[in-house]
Amino acid sequence: QVQLVESGGGLVQPGGSLRLSCVASGIRFSLYAMGWYRQAPGKQRELVADITGGITNYADFVKGRFTISRDKNTVYLQLNSLKPEDTAMYYCHAPPSDWGQGTQVTVSS
């Protein structure tokens, strides 16, 4: 059974940083593409970044600000230069259909 557990969210001021973590179990982690998605209230869930092996892919709205990485059974998302519009629930995703419970990121002064 696949289990994804996120952590690291919180309240941060504009311009601040957070590091999200997703610990995966029940999968052959090294073979998997892993992704981070986010969903703001009233909006659809959207891809933030994903990583397959060492190849990374980013949504245009986070390029240069966020960095996805992985180590052992954990995938990380470093969030820098945060903006109020980055406020959302952030979810870890293991294709095709496994999701974590989410971690809330709130950017506000």
Side-chain angles (χ1 to χ4, degrees):
Q1 183 178 356
V2 178
Q3 188 173 17
L4 305 172
V5 180
E6 302 101 328
S7 62
L11 172 63
V12 63
Q13 292 186 343
S17 297
L18 288 171
R19 190 191 197 200
L20 309 184
S21 299
C22 171
V23 178
S25 60
I27 59 174
R28 295 182 65 184
F29 185 75
S30 63
L31 301 180
Y32 264 69
M34 297 292 297
W36 283 98
Y37 285 70
R38 72 185 188 186
Q39 188 168 19
K43 295 188 177 181
Q44 289 189 330
R45 193 170 295 190
E46 60 185 356
L47 174 69
V48 176
D50 58 37
I51 183 167
T52 305
I55 300 172
T56 59
N57 173 58
Y58 295 94
D60 286 343
F61 53 79
V62 302
K63 283 182 180 178
R65 299 191 298 124
F66 294 3
T67 303
I68 189 170
S69 61
R70 63 195 299 167
D71 180 43
K72 297 181 181 178
N73 65 329
T74 303
V75 59
Y76 302 97
L77 187 67
Q78 178 68 42
L79 289 65
N80 296 331
S81 302
L82 282 161
K83 305 175 182 180
E85 53 263 43
D86 294 318
T87 295
M89 187 72 78
Y90 284 71
Y91 297 91
C92 182
H93 176 51
S97 59
D98 291 296
W99 296 89
Q101 82 287 351
T103 186
Q104 177 68 39
V105 172
T106 302
V107 185
S108 175
S109 55

